[in-house]
Amino acid sequence: MRLDRLALERRQVWIYVAGIAAGLAAGSTTPGMGSIAELLLWPVLALLLFATFLQVPLLHLISASRDLRFVGVALLGNFVLMPLIVWAMVSLLPGDPAIRLGVLLVLLVPCTDWFISFTQLAGGDVPRAVAVTPVNLVLQLLLLPLYLFLMAREEVTGLVTLNVVAPALLIVAVPLIAAAVTQRWVDARPGRLVVRDRWAWAPVPLLASVVFLVATAQVDTVLGALDVLPMVVPVFVAFLLAAALTAKALAASFSLPPQQARTLAFGLGTRNSFVVLPLALSLPEGFEVAAVVIVAQTLVELLGMIVFLRLIPVVFRTGPRAAGGR
């Protein structure tokens, strides 16, 4: 059953492409479908976030500190080095604030969900991946406003108002609290673990539903933003390459074993588009492209993970000596 879910996650990019295509077709051919999709988008997105947060060990933050070296390297990469790389990349983009803000939003926050699945598929260190995820989640929620203030002051000045931030915070905070409460309820009795296991299947179909609804509700924006893709796709590809090189440099500098190095590579290469999508969708008129940029990054990232699954195990080879080094 577990292998079946991982097989589904291997093919998720094609499921999302199909969802986008179906959404564009529905929005283009069915009058009134866009308004219905817009109403459904928020509750489906909330369910997606709940399913995602439920897989993150929110109540076990302390356990992440047991391996200070790996956690420290992961935090250095995710919250110092990669943000600096993103800042440099964004400076090369056109001056359109919606494009720049969309790229910053999606590339500044590390993934807390499917990077664990990809780590497992690539033979990485899954326990350490699980341990670092709640730290990643807490720090990104705290640091994202600071990053945006430093890197996109002109874009966000006068833009981030209570009307914009409140719905986005609500759509993230409610599933986060619900997931924490559910985790405590699940942990109280071993027999309830099946609840979390069943929800582990939900992110792929729920994200497919989200991209379908986004494409349906924003069909004109999506089609009108196709000329944006040649600008942002090379940035997303360059980010993946930079993540792999940064992981290689950090692993060598701190003498990480191959399995931990693989985990680091996937941790640096994957981003948390689920968390920032509500903020992008809450932006005022004229910034609709930001959400399209985030969806585009998700697809590029997933295609990139297919390459990572072949490349990263070769770059960080395991062997008798490497295994003994752990």
Side-chain angles (χ1 to χ4, degrees), residues 23 28 34 47 53 58 77 120 134 153-154 177 211-212 219 221 248 250 257 295 318 323:
S28 301
L47 282 175
F53 293 149
L58 299 169
Q120 181 176 4
R153 191 177 307 178
E154 293 182 4
I177 294 170
V211 296
F212 168 81
V219 59
T221 300
K248 179 69 173 176
L250 287 173
V295 172
T318 57

Side-chain angles (χ1 to χ4, degrees), residues 182-196:
T182 304
Q183 283 186 17
R184 181 173 290 277
W185 177 81
V186 167
D187 291 346
R189 294 185 182 178
R192 295 172 180 172
L193 292 175
V194 67
V195 174
R196 185 161 52 204

Side-chain angles (χ1 to χ4, degrees), residues 24-70:
L24 293 176
S28 301
T29 59
T30 307
M33 188 67 177
S35 58
I36 297 174
E38 195 167 351
L39 289 174
L40 292 174
L41 176 58
W42 292 102
V44 175
L45 183 55
L47 282 175
L48 171 62
L49 289 169
F50 172 76
T52 301
F53 293 149
L54 191 59
Q55 307 311 310
V56 177
L58 299 169
L59 304 178
H60 300 89
L61 276 168
I62 296 177
S63 65
S65 63
R66 292 175 183 169
D67 186 346
L68 292 178
R69 183 177 63 164
F70 175 77

